[in-house]
Amino acid sequence: MFVPMELAEVKESIRRNMEIAPRFALKGGLRPSIETATHAILRHQVVIHVHSINAIAWAIRLDGPDQLKDRLAGVNWQWIPYAASGIQLAREIEKAVASEPETDVFILGNHGLVVCGNDCHAAEKRLCEVERRLAIAPRRFPKPDTTVLATIARFSRWQFPTVDSLHALGTDAVSRKILRGGVLYPCQAIFLGPAMPLFPPAVVLSKFTERLHRSDRTPPFVAVERSGVMLNERMTSAERATLIGLAQVTQRTEESARLRYLNGEEVTDVLSKGAHGCNEPAVMEEKANPRAGIKELDEERKIGYNRNECVS
Ligand SMILES: [Zn+2]
């Protein structure tokens, strides 16, 4: 999963304000991360960047910086407000480090987490410690009502999810409210689209065929209010993993939390750039192979880690 790069060459690209990832051809299906610039500008030997559930659950909150003061007391951390992936994000991190050079943990607004260390062990230990402090217990959610979902299951392409927690996106009122708000982080827009397919049961019963079962643009999943979630069997493993992550984030976000959503311009930018290097052949192949999305989660995670950073 690692792509060797010449550090001097990467730094020269940053100096000239040139994005790095697109300039490198795929080597054996791998391409450098879109966040290569961020990895390169940090002085540490090891830089870990993850989109972990708990980090995102804090990173989407307007009060995130205040909430984390106590939780991360004693850690050299900084909050980086949302910036587009690539050079722009690297510049924001560079500025933050210039004012506080000791920083080795960055919470990236509407994005994720960066943790640094001078060797793998130190970085991993720090990541575990930060994750432990950021951990949030998920909310309980009502069980799915399969009456309406069974109607959808009659259509050949749709199936019940094997991961129960996904139903929360339909059965949990707080999760539905969060979904209706829009896009919380780039991977959500890239893999699941800019608008969430969330419908009242009546619409599903009367208009499912015309609205959601057309062959041209069927969504990867559908959430039905108070009923639960159904998955399109053509959904890719990356889409499925992103959806599971989104459900886990919403289950860790309380109703009273005020959230920052990506604005229209930010979403357009994410989608136009195929940010995070996700519109890559590995993902495309799965699109062409409809059965590829139906795998056990462990298998998906393996594929996700190997193929692109978005599923991590
Ligand atoms: Zn990222």
Side-chain angles (χ1 to χ4, degrees):
M1 63 185 277
F2 291 105
V3 182
M5 308 277 293
E6 279 297 332
L7 189 57
E9 200 182 331
V10 171
K11 287 188 168 172
E12 177 59 16
S13 295
I14 298 169
R15 199 185 62 76
R16 293 161 63 190
N17 249 349
M18 289 166 67
E19 290 294 349
I20 294 143
R23 295 176 43 228
F24 288 83
L26 289 169
K27 294 174 193 166
L30 295 173
R31 176 180 282 171
S33 162
I34 191 166
E35 310 300 9
T36 299
T38 285
H39 287 261
I41 55 115
L42 289 162
R43 66 183 162 81
H44 301 78
Q45 294 291 307
V46 179
V47 175
I48 303 177
H49 170 45
V50 292
H51 299 169
S52 65
I53 304 297
N54 288 302
I56 292 178
W58 291 112
I60 58 175
R61 294 174 65 130
L62 284 166
D63 65 355
D66 285 338
Q67 290 280 346
L68 293 180
K69 266 182 201 152
D70 286 344
R71 286 184 179 251
L72 294 179
V75 175
N76 293 319
W77 74 282
Q78 288 197 65
W79 177 278
I80 307 291
Y82 179 78
S85 284
I87 298 279
Q88 207 177 318
L89 175 61
R91 293 262 180 253
E92 292 305 313
I93 292 179
E94 195 175 33
K95 262 192 272 171
V97 172
S99 60
E100 291 176 44
E102 294 310 305
T103 310
D104 43 31
V105 172
F106 302 86
I107 306 289
L108 311 181
N110 294 97
H111 184 161
L113 172 67
V114 170
V115 173
C116 314
N118 284 331
D119 56 51
C120 291
H121 178 70
E124 189 176 13
K125 203 171 146 207
R126 188 165 284 136
L127 174 63
C128 291
E129 172 63 12
V130 169
E131 282 290 327
R132 189 184 65 76
R133 295 204 199 190
L134 296 183
I136 306 169
R139 189 171 48 249
R140 293 170 67 89
F141 62 93
K143 284 196 163 61
D145 171 358
T146 53
T147 326
V148 178
L149 302 185
T151 313
I152 300 175
R154 287 211 298 268
F155 291 93
S156 60
R157 201 178 295 158
W158 294 86
Q159 54 193 212
F160 286 95
T162 51
V163 178
D164 249 10
S165 61
L166 278 178
H167 288 300
L169 293 171
T171 64
D172 177 49
V174 178
S175 294
R176 292 200 303 268
K177 191 176 143 199
I178 294 169
L179 277 193
R180 282 199 197 95
V183 174
L184 291 163
Y185 47 93
C187 289
Q188 183 189 347
I190 292 166
F191 289 106
L192 304 174
M196 294 297 106
L198 173 61
F199 300 98
V203 169
V204 172
L205 291 174
S206 64
K207 297 184 175 170
F208 187 75
T209 311
E210 67 183 85
R211 288 189 64 167
L212 294 164
H213 196 60
R214 288 177 312 201
S215 57
D216 52 345
R217 287 184 63 187
T218 41
F221 76 101
V222 56
V224 186
E225 286 172 18
R226 297 179 298 283
S227 298
V229 162
M230 290 296 280
L231 304 182
N232 186 332
E233 69 167 22
R234 295 187 182 185
M235 126 188 271
T236 65
S237 58
E239 288 166 347
R240 189 155 173 263
T242 306
L243 187 65
I244 292 168
L246 179 62
Q248 291 181 339
V249 167
T250 61
Q251 285 307 99
R252 283 164 175 76
T253 306
E254 61 207 59
E255 186 170 18
S256 59
R258 289 177 57 229
L259 305 180
R260 182 194 183 270
Y261 290 90
L262 299 190
N263 63 38
E265 210 173 303
E266 289 163 346
V267 172
T268 307
D269 179 61
V270 163
L271 294 175
S272 69
K273 284 200 298 202
H276 291 245
C278 291
N279 294 335
E280 291 182 357
V283 175
M284 296 302 187
E285 275 164 28
E286 286 179 40
K287 286 266 186 204
N289 174 7
R291 303 301 299 181
I294 307 163
K295 294 187 182 93
E296 290 309 307
L297 183 60
D298 283 351
E299 185 61 19
E300 287 176 13
R301 284 201 173 129
K302 241 185 290 167
I303 292 167
Y305 279 126
N306 288 340
R307 289 183 175 172
N308 60 61
E309 61 166 319
C310 296
V311 200
S312 60

